[in-house]
Amino acid sequence: GSESRGPGGRPLVFVEWSLESFPGDQDLEDLQQALVEANERDELILELPGSLLAPLALGQYTIGLTVRSWLGTQGRAEHTFTKQEASASPMASIDTPDAVVPSGGLPLAATVNPYSVCDGRKVFFLWQCVRLERSGQDLECTLLVEGNTYERANPGDINLAALTRAGVSVGDVLHFTLNVFFEGSRPESSSTLGKAVLIEGDDIQARLNGPQGLVHMREGNALSFSAAASVDPSDPDNSAAEMRFEFECAVDADNLAPCFEDVSYTGTVEGSTWVVDASMFAEPDRRHRMSVTALKGLGSVLRTDTATSIIVPSTMPVIRATIARFCGSTACPTKISPSDLLTLLVRLDDASSVNASGGPTYRWSILEDQASLLGIQLDDTNTNGLTSDSVTIFPSAIP
């Protein structure tokens, strides 16, 4: 009755506990006396110790509470409890979920009814995996083979590594039993709880690495795409099941247009690698979606994911380059002094493609905004190699 209140939060002026119903013919003098004493103290919390409840007969009891406010308004509530015979084992329930994904582990979790355990009694939990069900067939479960006994209701998770060692696969159903018993008792003396747990697969993650953007349609330009970085968090090393790959090319926004001049051409696939001859594209200067679908499992446990890379075939050479410092046979320092020469060179990503078309031309310059800010320009008087693939800038060019 601790939540009982009078108007405006004022104290109640009358509190009365009463025994409304009880089983059979029995001596309830001690129980009635406890109610009288609580009433005399206007107690809103009624405590019935175990020594008082022990002699009571088994069955259902109803306790009533009547309260009255200073305005004369009255309220009443009842509470019913049942006294049961002492159990030989604690009452418990399994809280392990019905389905888990391997990457998150499989939790062993239970809840014990505190009213089934007397003060000072120690409770033990025996978990066992009794069978593994796969495609309707019962197989041996090698998890918790000897049975694991714990002193905690929630001892932790069976992690991904343990599930992998036991050969557990996506789609399997693991059948567990739990015995909860008191110290000094045998597990067999307790009732057995059962739990079936479905192993669901994590979402697999497809990855496609390879060329992007403009690519030159010259003959012999092999474009290599790799899906090797694709991953299944449920089975990272693919030891439980093989990951399969399906590669596809489509002209962006026009799925009816063929990707390749020869409609039977599909490139070369070896495992997670797809190699395509750039000269085979049928539609230059249009976006092409190069995609891979990673697949794991079959039927109801099939999981898939798709990754895409966009390329644009071009009849003109595609120049991609980087600029690097050159310091001869020694490593370049992070800084240069005002009296040092600065040599830069160009490295082409696909030199053979560019050179096959007559080679590139070069012209070195400083970005316009920086040239204006610094008040300098590169010319033949302060550089050497201004129109070649490497240039040396003299100290006089940099203030």
Side-chain angles (χ1 to χ4, degrees):
S2 60
E3 298 298 321
S4 302
R5 294 286 187 275
R10 294 189 181 186
L12 299 165
V13 297
F14 177 78
V15 176
E16 182 180 65
W17 295 92
S18 58
L19 180 62
E20 299 300 320
S21 65
F22 53 90
D25 182 19
Q26 55 179 314
D27 181 6
L28 297 173
E29 182 178 350
D30 291 342
L31 177 57
Q32 294 285 14
Q33 182 60 34
L35 300 180
V36 169
E37 292 175 358
N39 293 335
E40 290 174 348
R41 296 191 299 270
D42 290 333
E43 294 282 0
L44 287 175
I45 297 178
L46 177 65
E47 295 186 0
L48 303 177
S51 59
L52 189 150
L53 297 175
L56 298 182
L58 302 179
Q60 196 172 78
Y61 295 78
T62 299
I63 300 289
L65 172 64
T66 302
V67 297
R68 189 178 304 121
S69 74
W70 63 280
L71 291 176
T73 56
Q74 183 171 292
R76 180 171 175 78
E78 293 184 349
H79 175 73
T80 299
F81 67 91
T82 302
K83 180 183 177 182
Q84 296 179 334
E85 192 170 4
S87 59
S89 61
M91 291 183 290
S93 59
I94 295 179
D95 299 327
T96 297
D98 296 329
V100 299
V101 293
S103 63
L106 193 160
L108 301 178
T111 299
V112 174
N113 185 335
Y115 297 107
S116 68
V117 181
C118 296
D119 292 343
R121 299 207 69 179
K122 184 175 289 187
V123 179
F124 290 94
F125 304 83
L126 173 65
W127 289 89
Q128 292 178 290
C129 183
V130 292
R131 63 189 174 95
L132 184 155
E133 181 183 342
R134 179 176 295 163
S135 302
Q137 293 185 330
D138 288 341
L139 306 174
E140 180 186 7
C141 177
T142 58
L143 293 166
L144 313 178
V145 175
E146 301 298 328
N148 285 42
T149 301
Y150 304 96
E151 294 185 28
R152 293 181 293 120
N154 303 298
D157 297 353
I158 301 174
N159 60 25
L160 173 61
L163 293 170
T164 301
R165 286 195 300 271
V168 177
S169 300
V170 173
D172 290 348
V173 179
L174 298 173
H175 293 266
F176 293 91
T177 60
L178 171 63
N179 292 86
V180 184
F181 55 97
F182 290 117
E183 183 179 24
S185 302
R186 296 178 59 82
E188 296 80 8
S189 66
S190 66
S191 58
T192 300
L193 304 173
K195 184 71 178 185
V197 181
L198 171 65
I199 305 299
E200 296 181 331
D202 291 271
D203 293 335
I204 61 176
Q205 301 163 14
R207 300 286 185 269
L208 184 63
N209 296 319
Q212 296 184 35
L214 288 170
V215 295
H216 189 200
M217 292 175 59
R218 68 177 176 84
E219 186 175 354
N221 184 15
L223 306 180
S224 181
F225 299 89
S226 174
S230 303
V231 64
D232 174 11
S234 300
D235 181 24
D237 57 1
N238 297 318
S239 59
E242 179 186 8
M243 184 177 290
R244 309 182 305 281
F245 302 97
E246 294 179 355
F247 294 92
E248 183 181 23
C249 172
V251 179
D252 201 25
D254 188 358
N255 288 325
L256 297 179
C259 263
F260 306 110
E261 289 282 359
D262 182 350
V263 294
S264 65
Y265 179 75
T266 57
T268 302
V269 176
E270 292 187 5
S272 60
T273 301
W274 182 31
V275 179
V276 174
D277 186 340
S279 66
M280 297 295 290
F281 286 109
E283 298 280 346
D285 303 320
R286 294 189 64 182
R287 287 163 51 95
H288 289 61
R289 285 182 286 112
M290 315 299 285
S291 63
V292 62
T293 298
L295 306 95
K296 204 77 177 288
L298 296 169
S300 61
V301 293
L302 175 65
R303 293 170 293 142
T304 67
D305 188 39
T306 299
T308 300
S309 180
I310 301 296
I311 64 170
V312 179
S314 172
T315 56
M316 298 296 293
V318 178
I319 300 177
R320 290 189 178 91
T322 56
I323 298 176
R325 286 178 61 190
F326 178 72
C327 301
S329 59
T330 61
C332 291
T334 56
K335 298 180 179 180
I336 61 172
S337 69
S339 60
D340 288 341
L341 298 174
L342 175 62
T343 299
L344 304 174
L345 57 83
V346 174
R347 291 176 177 154
L348 298 175
D349 291 353
D350 186 8
S352 59
S353 175
V354 176
N355 292 331
S357 302
T361 60
Y362 303 90
R363 174 68 188 183
W364 292 87
S365 63
I366 295 178
L367 294 176
E368 183 176 346
D369 57 339
Q370 295 183 11
S372 175
L373 177 65
L374 297 173
I376 60 173
Q377 291 287 343
L378 298 183
D379 54 39
D380 292 333
T381 65
N382 55 23
T383 65
N384 180 27
L386 197 60
T387 57
S388 67
D389 61 353
S390 66
V391 63
T392 298
I393 303 174
F394 304 147
S396 60
I398 303 176

